[in-house]
Amino acid sequence: MSKGIKVNESELREKVVAINRVAKVVKGGRRFSFSAIVVLGDGEGSVGHGLGKANEVTDAISKAVDDARKNLVKIPIVNDTVPHEMYGKYSGGYVFVKPAAPGTGVIAGGAMRAVLEAAGVHNVLAKSKGSSNPHNVVKATINALSKMRAPHEVAVQRRVKLSKVFNG
């Protein structure tokens, strides 16, 4: 999927995943600043992540939101869930995302939950393995979601009818 998806800016919802205080050691001691990772989504299949660093938390969050706007990707959503199972990886973070029946809810932890809810997925089973670092988990989850293919795309690629894709 391509980056820089066009969406209505007013509909984007932001979710702060993690805020970290970082220190730079200088001649006079330590200088503290803040790092924030934010997930941005419209709830209809567009989701992005961003990282911002600043001396104040609010500035770090606003920088992260600006960065997330640049990294939006479009993901397919079928019946409020993902179309098929998929693994995602980023650095040491591994995730597994699986479709779920209506009424299941979002069964995912921390950073994965933020990404899936921002994207507009309402029923999904997800598991995070490996690194629990929020940066790696967010990026691995977006990697898994961006590799998903909608049923109509699969039907066109295979040159078969859409019903054939659903029935196997």
Side-chain angles (χ1 to χ4, degrees):
M1 295 280 161
S2 64
K3 292 188 176 192
I5 303 295
K6 299 282 185 213
V7 292
N8 189 350
E9 295 290 320
S10 62
E11 294 176 4
L12 291 175
R13 293 187 299 264
E14 64 186 66
K15 191 153 192 163
V16 178
V17 177
I19 297 175
N20 195 18
R21 188 178 79 165
V22 293
K24 176 182 179 183
V25 179
V26 293
K27 187 176 175 183
R30 294 185 189 94
R31 182 167 294 150
F32 294 104
S33 61
F34 295 91
S35 165
I37 186 162
V38 172
V39 173
L40 195 68
D42 65 353
E44 295 174 8
S46 292
V47 66
H49 69 283
L51 176 65
K53 297 176 188 174
N55 291 329
E56 298 294 326
V57 175
T58 53
D59 295 340
I61 291 171
S62 63
K63 284 183 180 182
V65 169
D66 292 341
D67 188 36
R69 278 194 176 88
K70 297 174 193 169
N71 295 319
L72 287 174
V73 293
K74 186 78 175 150
I75 62 157
I77 297 177
V78 178
N79 299 330
D80 287 338
T81 189
V82 292
H84 54 85
E85 296 179 0
M86 184 56 70
Y87 287 93
K89 177 187 183 299
Y90 183 84
S91 187
Y94 300 88
V95 298
F96 176 64
V97 182
K98 182 179 176 180
T104 304
V106 178
I107 310 295
M112 287 183 75
R113 175 179 291 273
V115 173
L116 294 165
E117 287 177 348
V121 180
H122 298 297
N123 301 302
V124 67
L125 300 169
K127 180 70 181 167
S128 174
K129 298 177 181 180
S131 172
S132 60
N133 179 341
H135 297 270
N136 291 341
V137 174
V138 165
K139 290 174 184 175
T141 306
I142 290 180
N143 173 258
L145 293 174
S146 64
K147 290 192 296 186
M148 300 240 174
R149 299 188 305 166
H152 64 85
E153 291 174 21
V154 176
V156 168
Q157 188 176 14
R158 294 181 187 173
R159 296 186 180 102
V160 296
K161 293 182 181 172
L162 191 59
S163 59
K164 182 89 169 165
V165 173
F166 282 114
N167 298 332

